[in-house]
Amino acid sequence: MALTFTSKVSASITMLDANANQVLELIGKERGERGVITADEAPACIAKLKAAITAHGEEPIPYERQEPERAATFVSLKARLWPFIDMLERAHAKDADVLWGV
């Protein structure tokens, strides 16, 4: 399954459940049928996501030697988080919320 994040000020972002759950866990939000990240919460969420990127550093590509075809589809945490960070930054700048499940 997938979860779609929406905001009035940016394009929607759809993530697979595992990735969406990871993002929500990183920012301290509970996964519910519906949810919101308010414009006021956005800066703290952005800081948490950027800290997670820094903590992960340059992730080595898993199974690069054993399974090169599978390694070619690897997406780093940084690559998964930047579009969401951009959404949060735009939402905060325009005093808009980010929603899911609506």
Side-chain angles (χ1 to χ4, degrees), residues 4-101:
T4 300
F5 296 94
T6 61
S7 178
K8 294 178 184 176
V9 296
S10 69
S12 297
I13 297 174
T14 301
M15 295 183 190
L16 295 175
D17 279 340
N19 302 124
N21 290 340
Q22 182 183 26
V23 169
L24 292 172
E25 183 179 320
L26 288 170
I27 62 174
K29 285 287 189 175
E30 292 286 326
R31 166 82 185 255
E33 187 174 315
R34 294 181 181 183
V36 63
I37 301 166
T38 66
D40 290 338
E41 294 172 320
C45 292
I46 292 165
K48 290 175 183 179
L49 295 174
K50 287 183 177 181
I53 291 170
T54 300
H56 275 79
E58 289 300 318
E59 296 176 83
I61 299 174
Y63 37 79
E64 187 170 24
R65 291 186 180 170
Q66 301 86 352
E67 301 177 59
E69 289 178 16
R70 185 174 174 199
T73 63
F74 173 74
V75 179
S76 70
L77 181 66
K78 181 178 181 178
R80 278 186 268 123
L81 292 183
W82 275 115
F84 193 69
I85 290 170
D86 181 62
M87 175 185 261
L88 291 171
E89 288 173 340
R90 290 171 187 259
H92 178 67
K94 299 286 187 176
D95 198 31
D97 298 334
V98 174
L99 310 169
W100 67 89

